[in-house]
Amino acid sequence: MSGIEVTARVVDGVSIAVNDSILLLRCGSVYYAIAVPPAAPSVEPPPPDPEEVEEDESDPPPPPKPTVRTGTLTCVPVATATYRSGWRSDGNPTSSFDTYQGRYSGSSFGRMTGCAFYGSKPRSITGATVTRATVKFRRLPGGDFAARTATLRLVSQSTRPAGAPTLNESTGGPSLAVNATASSFVIPDSWAQAMVDGTRGGLAIHVDSDNPYIRLAGRNSWSAAWTLTISWRRSL
């Protein structure tokens, strides 16, 4: 009682233990212990809602989004060359020759196929997906001066073969007048993808006729000639 010690009599029928809380009744100067109040019941948290448990188990958090890496690969040709019943070597070195299409008017020689081979560089990003691919071209004097369109072909070989190149897919190439340059001519993504995957290895200009006769710079005439730039992405 507020720090005051008192002596209390315990009424019959009441049992008191040490540290029990008791109810006291005062009659005059005498205190009576008349009861021991029951302890407060412990409160347990309610069990989890079964529906909430099932929802948590069936709906796990979504996985983190995959990381995507992107980049650009520049491929300078390991060789530029022109095939005409053999690889031409009159003038520029055989593996840095200018690239020709068709046949010069009045020439007794056969039609020509100009090629660029890219070696193993495109395959350095094997597994990536090509999103864009461009090539640099410059037209040199040869034939008439008006704009003429080259026909591009996809080549199997990645380096200059001993014999004729193996030509595959075909698409329209750059339309250039003499001395004009195409600094970023777009080729099909699938073509560059084939080079990345290793099923193709180079590009060429070729027509199954004499015209249009076109001469495009090889790497000896222009260091940027036939440079292939591949934009790519990859999921990590």
Side-chain angles (χ1 to χ4, degrees):
M1 295 180 57
S2 303
I4 301 174
E5 292 185 2
V6 297
T7 300
R9 297 180 181 179
V10 180
V11 300
D12 292 340
V14 176
S15 297
I16 299 175
V18 177
N19 296 326
D20 277 349
S21 297
I22 59 175
L23 293 178
L24 293 178
L25 177 65
R26 180 179 176 183
C27 294
S29 61
V30 180
Y31 291 90
Y32 295 91
I34 62 172
V36 177
S42 60
V43 179
E44 296 183 359
D49 188 336
E51 293 184 0
E52 292 183 358
V53 173
E54 291 179 2
E55 182 178 352
D56 290 341
E57 293 177 352
S58 61
D59 297 320
K65 294 182 179 180
T67 301
V68 177
R69 181 184 175 190
T70 61
T72 301
L73 180 70
T74 300
C75 304
V76 177
V78 297
T80 57
T82 291
Y83 188 84
R84 183 183 61 186
S85 302
W87 294 101
R88 290 186 60 177
S89 59
D90 52 312
N92 294 336
T94 303
S95 290
S96 57
F97 209 85
D98 291 334
T99 49
Y100 292 78
Q101 169 186 285
R103 178 178 4 212
Y104 184 74
S105 178
S107 172
S108 60
F109 295 103
R111 295 170 186 154
M112 292 177 284
T113 302
C115 301
F117 303 99
Y118 295 99
S120 61
K121 187 67 174 289
R123 297 196 299 277
S124 66
I125 56 170
T126 296
T129 299
V130 174
T131 57
R132 179 179 169 86
T134 62
V135 183
K136 297 180 184 294
F137 297 105
R138 176 177 292 173
R139 187 177 171 195
L140 301 180
D144 59 23
F145 279 76
R148 295 288 179 245
T149 300
T151 297
L152 287 177
R153 302 292 297 270
L154 197 51
V155 177
S156 294
Q157 293 86 355
S158 59
T159 58
R160 184 172 63 84
T166 303
L167 303 178
N168 301 285
E169 296 82 353
S170 174
T171 191
S175 181
L176 298 172
V178 169
N179 297 323
T181 298
S183 59
S184 55
F185 181 82
V186 178
I187 65 171
D189 292 350
S190 59
W191 284 29
Q193 189 69 59
M195 287 187 270
V196 169
D197 296 342
T199 59
R200 298 289 187 264
L203 297 171
I205 50 173
H206 172 86
V207 285
D208 294 323
S209 60
D210 294 348
N211 295 302
Y213 172 72
I214 296 173
R215 176 189 175 198
L216 298 180
R219 63 178 190 168
N220 188 65
S221 297
W222 184 41
S223 61
W226 290 88
T227 295
L228 169 66
T229 302
I230 301 172
S231 298
W232 55 272
R233 61 177 171 83
R234 188 200 306 268
S235 296
L236 302 179

